[in-house]
Amino acid sequence: MSCFISKYADELAKNAAYIGTPGKGILAADESTGTIGKRLSSINVENIEENRRALRELLFTAPGALQYLSGVILFEETLYQKTASGKPFVDVLKEGGVLPGIKVDKGTVELNGTNGETFTQGLDGLAQRCQKYYEAGARFAKWRAVLKISANEPTELAVQENANGLAMYAAICQQCGLVPIVEPEILVDGSHDIQKCAAVTERVLAACYKALNDHHVMLEGTLLKPNMVTPGSDSPKVAPDVIAEYTVRALQRTVPAAVPAIVFLSGGQSEEEATLNLNAMNKLQTKKPWSLSFSFGRALQQSTLKTWAGKEENVKKAQDALLVRCKANSEATLGTYKGDAELCEGAAESLHVKDYKY
Amino acid sequence: MSAFVGKYAEELIKNAKYIATPGKGILAADESTGTIGKRLSSINVENIESNRQALRELLFTSPNALSCLSGVILFEETLYQKTSDGKPFVEILEENNVIPGIKVDKGTVEIAGTNGETTTQGFDSLGARCQQYYKAGARFAKWRAVLKIGPNEPSELAIQQNAQGLARYAIICQENGLVPIVEPEVLTDGPHDIKKCAAVTETVLAAVYKALNDHHVLLEGTLLKPNMVTPGSDSPKVAQEVIAQYTVTALRRTVPPAVPGIVFLSGGQSEEEATQNLDAMNKLEVLKPWTLSFSFGRALQQSTLKTWAGKKANVGKAQEAFLSRCKANSEATLGKYSGGSAGGLASESLFVKGYKY
């Protein structure tokens, strides 16, 4: 094997396969303190620890929601938080059959000499941090690399640096028992068409998988979190079937069958759009040796957030809203979503923020 | 798309898919004049054009054999040859739904400063040659890159050179209507174990697919011809299920699902070994998004050659031997081979150290 078989190999493969269980997906609830602050302020809620805790408790204790989730990505603070009655969130998730995950990157910094391209930090002391997180109950990790499409972007430098960063992060995670989610996000910002997005996505994914091979990463114990292939945000929209076709083809051309599951990011799509696109992909009759599921942040929480508005009396309604989106996305992973989810206020609202920074 | 979609794109996709039809595979009959000479001399037959023509006629007119084949790779001379009653070989193949293919590389040369590692030649006028071959009826091509396992081999230089060469050959073929078979052969020579072969095979295939992506090759219009993952020739043999497991794992880790078919080389395995290994792979209960088939030269022709021995009187029996191997391998692509079509000849190892085509 050109891959390094760590002592956690069997566990990694098992957990990665579990996360890819058809009918389930990931809730990305790993917003950093700064980012969750923006969400809270959009509903006029103060960004203090108690409110951050209350929001996550609302999500993780939503009745019936956990059955549609195989994993939840957490921010470090949340990994150690508890419910109001004192039960660790990690225990709540585990009892619900949901694997806790942890965001391990430390955000992006600009690459010198480029036109605003970035690489992702977080490698220093990563192994020690991963070991701690494993002890705290985490079983998978996430690291977001970011690329953009423009006249001369992404440059070869940006593609290589980000692919290499993802591969180093992935190798370290595996040595520490965490399944690495590999996330090479190509931002939707721009006026390019879907063909351009497809070409860039294929090029980026090819570079990622070459890097993963170079770094001896065991693909059976990883997950991929890519962007869907869509027109740029300033371009006319296309139908879900078109997005499905271009996306799945890009993946067929680059993602080896050893990867058990692909969990898409929603990247600014509205809740409903993201679900419809995922559904269209799962309906497509073509070779798909990996399961296709979701790892949604905004596209799972938007309606819930608005419904809650920070008020205790709205918790139940907010939890109902979350359940609606979880169920819809669960059906989408099976290609059975009929588009009939009760649309709460905001479900069809675009969540695109230009040049989005976490 | 990062892939080049030229005027032949649909045809390439259709032909590659056809070659990958379950139940069928490729006869590699593209031995160069020098190489076929060695085969002929092993049965005391003179290496002259009429004998080369007679051997290939024997193969291509074997009753019922062609139904097991989706393609035959030819050497340039053979592409223009005919049967003794004047029918072009290419027509016989086409009439029997067998796609003619053509070897387009010009052999290997050593890379200076390495320990006997090589790169493959054949780029000069490759585009023009492909056009000519297309006109003559060829619809796929083959180019063999060679790597070896040693204490310091394969080197990064050899891997890169060969991967780049395969990618450049592949895109030129696609520009000219030929489905490129991408063949990165990792030789079996050596005392290494199967794990080492697996590691090298995965590293090589990862480099090859990165290069194909860099060169904008349309994967849906290609085929892969890799070595099976086995212990080195100087190491103890292992069971076919083990070979199947390591081989399929290596492919699942490196070959994108867009590739329609993988057609293994036999690389010195006996006829029976090659068939059993292929069968074991197709029996493996694991997700395989490409078909697994054969592109055998020696492992399809060995018994046939010996039975023929250059004598007209033996043609019928030789053709039966050929049909027997074709059927066995056809069944192996479906995981339905029940063994036992091996005569003593079929079990004879065809390994030649440092094999040069």
Side-chain angles (χ1 to χ4, degrees):
Chain A
M1 273 58 60
S2 63
C3 69
F4 169 71
I5 302 293
S6 85
K7 67 181 191 186
Y8 293 104
D10 286 347
E11 190 183 324
L12 292 169
K14 180 169 139 287
N15 287 338
Y18 176 71
I19 291 174
T21 303
K24 293 182 191 281
I26 295 174
L27 164 62
D30 61 319
E31 301 88 351
S32 62
T33 307
T35 302
I36 200 63
K38 294 187 213 165
R39 304 281 161 76
L40 294 175
S41 88
S42 79
I43 51 167
N44 294 315
V45 172
E46 201 186 349
N47 187 12
I48 52 175
E49 198 196 330
E50 175 48 32
N51 287 339
R52 298 194 289 273
R53 190 209 63 78
L55 169 59
R56 273 63 178 265
E57 176 165 350
L58 184 162
L59 297 172
F60 306 160
T61 60
L66 293 191
Q67 66 182 296
Y68 300 117
L69 303 178
S70 47
V72 174
I73 320 178
L74 306 167
F75 182 60
E76 182 171 336
E77 176 188 78
T78 323
L79 186 63
Y80 299 101
Q81 282 180 333
K82 305 174 160 81
T83 64
S85 44
K87 185 165 196 168
F89 282 158
V90 164
D91 291 347
V92 172
L93 293 176
K94 283 186 178 160
E95 282 166 23
V98 181
L99 289 174
I102 177 75
K103 183 228 301 284
V104 301
D105 71 76
K106 297 191 170 193
T108 58
V109 286
E110 281 199 19
L111 279 167
N112 241 335
T114 67
N115 179 21
E117 292 182 293
T118 64
F119 75 96
T120 301
Q121 354 182 69
L123 289 175
D124 295 355
L126 181 59
Q128 286 81 353
R129 292 167 54 222
C130 285
Q131 277 164 31
K132 256 183 45 193
Y133 296 144
Y134 185 93
E135 277 155 31
R139 288 297 177 269
F140 71 95
K142 181 210 113 178
W143 172 288
R144 180 174 175 259
V146 184
L147 294 138
K148 67 174 189 178
I149 296 177
S150 196
N152 303 305
E153 287 80 20
T155 58
E156 189 57 20
L157 173 66
V159 172
Q160 282 310 318
E161 274 305 305
N162 282 287
N164 204 50
L166 280 165
M168 287 209 67
Y169 138 82
I172 291 169
C173 282
Q174 291 195 330
Q175 287 177 297
C176 302
L178 302 181
V179 171
I181 294 186
V182 172
E183 182 179 356
E185 174 170 7
I186 298 163
L187 296 174
V188 72
D189 303 52
S191 52
H192 54 272
D193 60 17
I194 194 170
Q195 277 90 349
K196 176 71 178 179
C197 179
V200 172
T201 302
E202 287 172 30
R203 177 176 156 221
V204 167
L205 289 177
C208 284
Y209 283 98
K210 178 61 164 69
L212 290 170
N213 181 279
D214 289 341
H215 287 256
H216 311 295
V217 175
M218 186 183 83
L219 294 187
E220 292 86 345
T222 66
L223 297 160
L224 178 69
K225 179 166 170 171
N227 50 284
M228 296 185 192
V229 176
T230 68
S233 52
D234 299 332
S235 264
K237 286 199 184 288
V238 302
D241 288 343
V242 178
I243 287 174
E245 195 190 311
Y246 277 86
T247 304
V248 175
R249 184 168 61 190
L251 301 168
Q252 285 173 335
R253 289 173 172 177
T254 53
V255 186
V259 175
I262 297 176
V263 290
F264 293 96
L265 58 92
S266 45
Q269 294 178 31
S270 73
E271 289 175 328
E272 188 63 5
E273 256 184 307
T275 305
L276 289 173
N277 289 333
L278 179 62
N279 189 55
M281 285 181 223
N282 280 294
K283 284 175 83 164
L284 213 49
Q285 302 271 350
T286 184
K287 285 193 279 192
K288 290 168 287 184
W290 357 252
S291 59
L292 299 177
S293 183
F294 56 93
S295 175
F296 293 165
R298 289 170 277 172
L300 267 174
Q301 300 180 57
Q302 180 71 357
S303 310
T304 306
L305 204 67
K306 291 203 146 159
T307 308
W308 177 50
K311 299 185 168 65
E312 181 92 28
E313 62 269 28
N314 293 341
V315 166
K316 177 144 193 334
K317 276 197 87 189
Q319 290 181 323
D320 288 344
L322 178 68
L323 178 60
V324 166
R325 291 326 306 170
C326 285
K327 190 154 176 283
N329 285 304
S330 164
E331 287 167 11
T333 71
L334 302 168
T336 60
Y337 180 58
K338 296 190 178 41
D340 54 356
E342 194 187 303
L343 291 185
C344 292
E345 181 203 322
E349 186 185 306
S350 164
L351 301 165
H352 178 244
V353 172
K354 218 172 175 71
D355 204 21
Y356 188 68
K357 292 194 182 357
Y358 271 53
Chain B
M1 273 59 60
S2 61
F4 167 68
V5 180
K7 69 180 191 183
Y8 292 107
E10 275 183 37
E11 191 182 324
L12 292 169
I13 294 173
K14 180 169 136 285
N15 287 336
K17 204 154 173 244
Y18 176 73
I19 292 173
T21 303
K24 293 184 191 278
I26 296 175
L27 162 65
D30 61 320
E31 301 87 352
S32 62
T33 307
T35 302
I36 200 64
K38 294 186 213 161
R39 303 283 162 76
L40 295 175
S41 88
S42 79
I43 51 168
N44 294 314
V45 171
E46 199 185 353
N47 187 11
I48 50 176
E49 203 199 325
S50 60
N51 286 337
R52 297 193 291 272
Q53 182 274 342
L55 169 59
R56 273 63 179 264
E57 176 166 347
L58 184 162
L59 296 170
F60 305 160
T61 60
S62 291
N64 302 317
L66 294 190
S67 64
C68 299
L69 304 177
S70 49
V72 175
I73 320 179
L74 306 168
F75 182 60
E76 182 171 338
E77 176 189 77
T78 324
L79 186 63
Y80 298 101
Q81 282 179 334
K82 307 173 159 79
T83 62
S84 34
D85 355 301
K87 184 162 195 169
F89 282 158
V90 163
E91 268 181 44
I92 298 194
L93 295 176
E94 284 169 353
E95 280 167 17
N96 286 280
N97 297 312
V98 179
I99 303 186
I102 177 77
K103 186 229 297 286
V104 301
D105 72 75
K106 296 192 171 193
T108 58
V109 287
E110 280 198 20
I111 303 175
T114 67
N115 180 20
E117 292 182 289
T118 64
T119 183
T120 300
Q121 324 183 98
F123 287 110
D124 297 353
S125 303
L126 180 57
R129 290 168 56 221
C130 285
Q131 276 170 34
Q132 268 177 35
Y133 296 144
Y134 184 95
K135 288 202 187 91
R139 290 295 178 272
F140 72 95
K142 182 210 111 176
W143 174 287
R144 180 174 175 259
V146 184
L147 293 135
K148 66 173 190 180
I149 298 179
N152 303 304
E153 289 83 19
S155 63
E156 187 59 20
L157 173 62
I159 293 173
Q160 281 309 317
Q161 265 305 303
N162 283 287
Q164 289 295 318
L166 280 166
R168 186 80 192 110
Y169 137 82
I171 194 70
I172 291 172
C173 282
Q174 292 194 330
E175 284 178 288
N176 295 291
L178 302 181
V179 171
I181 293 187
V182 172
E183 181 179 357
E185 173 169 7
V186 176
L187 296 173
T188 29
D189 303 50
H192 54 273
D193 61 17
I194 194 170
K195 292 194 162 116
K196 176 70 178 177
C197 179
V200 171
T201 300
E202 287 173 28
T203 300
V204 168
L205 289 177
V208 168
Y209 282 97
K210 177 62 165 70
L212 291 172
N213 181 278
D214 288 342
H215 286 255
H216 311 295
V217 176
L218 178 69
L219 293 187
E220 293 87 343
T222 65
L223 295 159
L224 178 69
K225 179 165 170 171
N227 51 284
M228 297 185 191
V229 176
T230 67
S233 53
D234 299 332
S235 261
K237 286 198 182 290
V238 302
Q240 66 224 43
E241 289 81 9
V242 177
I243 287 175
Q245 181 74 38
Y246 276 88
T247 304
V248 174
T249 297
L251 299 169
R252 276 170 50 85
R253 288 174 172 173
T254 53
V255 185
V259 175
I262 297 177
V263 290
F264 293 95
L265 58 92
S266 45
Q269 293 178 32
S270 73
E271 289 175 328
E272 188 62 9
E273 258 183 305
T275 303
Q276 291 200 359
N277 289 333
L278 180 62
D279 182 67
M281 285 181 222
N282 281 294
K283 284 185 156 88
L284 215 51
E285 304 252 339
V286 78
L287 206 152
K288 292 163 278 184
W290 359 250
T291 59
L292 299 178
S293 183
F294 57 93
S295 174
F296 292 165
R298 287 171 278 173
L300 267 172
Q301 300 179 59
Q302 181 71 357
S303 313
T304 306
L305 202 67
K306 295 211 147 155
T307 307
W308 177 49
K311 298 185 170 66
K312 229 183 160 78
N314 295 339
V315 165
K317 280 197 86 186
Q319 290 181 323
E320 276 171 29
F322 182 59
L323 174 62
S324 168
R325 289 326 304 170
C326 285
K327 270 173 87 183
N329 285 302
S330 163
E331 285 166 17
T333 71
L334 302 168
K336 292 194 162 71
Y337 181 57
S338 45
S341 78
L345 292 174
S347 303
E348 191 181 301
S349 167
L350 300 166
F351 175 65
V352 173
K353 219 177 178 67
Y355 188 70
K356 293 194 183 352
Y357 270 56

